[in-house]
């Protein structure tokens, strides 16, 4: 058995802000694509947001940890295991900070649209490349530097803004139900113009979409 604490913090990120985004919505069965250690899936279950949750995870150690808390976990890339997944049995598909890692997120979203049931919802989060920590160094110093983690994670193959995220969903047949920026609490003071500066303050964007 793999100890969850032996995994990199990358695989143990707390994503309770996504639970808050879903609010009072309830689902029967979910699959977390790129589930890491399964923490988000376990939180979805414990909060009664979903009754059951499966997962897909590329990292073998993280997949084994996730398997202890989720109903079933497929180990491998989504492109490799997609044909074995019972997509129509889920009413919630979770892709939390995954699209930016896929070689072809357009095709992945099209495939999900055609493989899932009519009543499915799609929960997505992506880093916001229009954040001030990226835009200001690029604008004033010409720097666009990759890092070990965060928005400029060196493993990211694609970058998204609010508008480009909405566009890729529309282009692949998904209908956006709601969108929310993930902004650090220090900027959410009543006197701070965070609504005006939203796209420069949002670390991520959350979207819930349907067919």
């Amino acid at each position: 058995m793999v100890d969850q604490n032996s995994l990199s913090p990358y695989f143990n990120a707390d994503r309770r802000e996504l639970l808050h985004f879903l609010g009072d919505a309830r689902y029967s069965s979910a699959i977390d694509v790129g589930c890491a250690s399964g923490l988000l899936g376990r939180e979805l279950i414990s909060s009664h947001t979903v009754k059951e949750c499966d997962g897909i995870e590329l990292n073998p150690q993280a997949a084994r940890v996730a398997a202890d808390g989720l109903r079933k976990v497929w180990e491998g890339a989504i492109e490799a295991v997609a044909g074995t997944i019972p997509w129509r049995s889920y009413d919630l598909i979770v892709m939390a900070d995954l699209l930016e890692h896929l070689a072809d997120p357009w095709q992945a979203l099209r495939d999900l649209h055609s493989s899932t049931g009519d009543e499915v919802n799609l929960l997505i989060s992506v880093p916001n490349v229009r954040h001030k920590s990226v835009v200001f160094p690029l604008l004033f110093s010409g720097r666009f530097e990759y890092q070990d983690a965060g928005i400029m994670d060196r493993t990211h193959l694609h970058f998204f803004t609010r508008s480009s995220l909405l566009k890729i969903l529309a282009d692949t047949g998904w209908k956006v139900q709601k969108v929310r920026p993930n902004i650090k609490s220090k900027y959410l003071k009543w006197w701070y113009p965070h609504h005006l500066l939203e796209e420069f303050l949002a670390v991520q964007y959350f979207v819930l979409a349907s067919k």
Side-chain angles (χ1 to χ4, degrees):
M1 180 181 293
V2 180
D3 182 3
Q4 181 173 348
N5 294 325
S6 69
L7 293 175
S8 161
Y10 183 90
F11 296 103
N12 284 314
D14 188 341
R15 303 306 308 273
R16 277 177 287 187
E17 68 275 9
L18 286 172
L19 299 184
H20 298 154
F21 176 62
L22 286 174
D24 295 330
R26 294 293 180 263
Y27 301 93
S28 295
S29 184
I31 184 167
D32 185 359
V33 185
C35 65
S37 67
L39 180 57
L40 175 57
R42 295 195 300 274
E43 290 175 336
L44 287 167
I45 295 168
S46 64
S47 66
H48 305 292
T49 303
V50 305
K51 293 179 181 178
E52 299 174 316
C53 188
D54 295 337
I56 302 172
E57 175 52 42
L58 178 63
N59 181 277
Q61 286 186 310
R64 287 195 287 274
V65 172
D68 289 335
L70 304 184
R71 181 177 59 179
K72 180 176 177 60
V73 174
W74 285 265
E75 181 184 321
I78 181 175
E79 298 89 344
V81 303
T84 66
I85 308 294
W87 293 109
R88 292 187 178 275
S89 67
Y90 303 110
D91 53 357
L92 180 66
I93 311 294
V94 180
M95 303 179 81
D97 291 357
L98 177 74
L99 283 186
E100 63 273 15
H101 294 278
L102 300 180
D104 190 346
W106 290 267
Q107 190 59 52
L109 289 170
R110 289 190 194 98
D111 290 345
L112 280 177
H113 193 275
S114 62
S115 302
T116 51
D118 293 339
E119 303 303 316
V120 72
N121 279 347
L122 175 65
L123 173 63
I124 286 183
S125 69
V126 297
N128 172 36
V129 77
R130 205 178 178 192
H131 189 267
K132 62 185 179 64
S133 65
V134 178
V135 171
F136 289 174
L138 178 61
L139 182 62
F140 296 111
S141 304
R143 291 188 291 112
F144 191 75
E145 298 176 353
Y146 289 91
Q147 300 171 355
D148 293 333
I151 297 171
M152 294 300 296
D153 188 317
R154 64 185 77 256
T155 66
H156 291 176
L157 302 179
H158 302 275
F159 295 96
F160 295 95
T161 63
R162 183 185 190 278
S163 62
S164 65
L165 174 59
L166 299 185
K167 186 175 188 303
I168 190 175
L169 288 168
D171 288 349
T172 54
W174 293 94
K175 298 176 181 177
V176 172
Q177 301 301 317
K178 62 177 179 175
V179 187
R180 181 179 300 171
N182 183 17
I183 298 176
K184 292 182 178 179
S185 59
K186 67 180 179 179
Y187 297 116
L188 298 177
K189 311 299 183 183
W190 67 267
W191 47 264
Y192 197 87
H194 54 85
H195 292 295
L196 180 64
L197 300 174
E198 173 194 305
E199 294 195 43
F200 301 107
L201 298 176
V203 179
Q204 298 164 303
Y205 273 99
F206 305 153
V207 170
L208 187 67
S210 62
K211 290 190 175 180

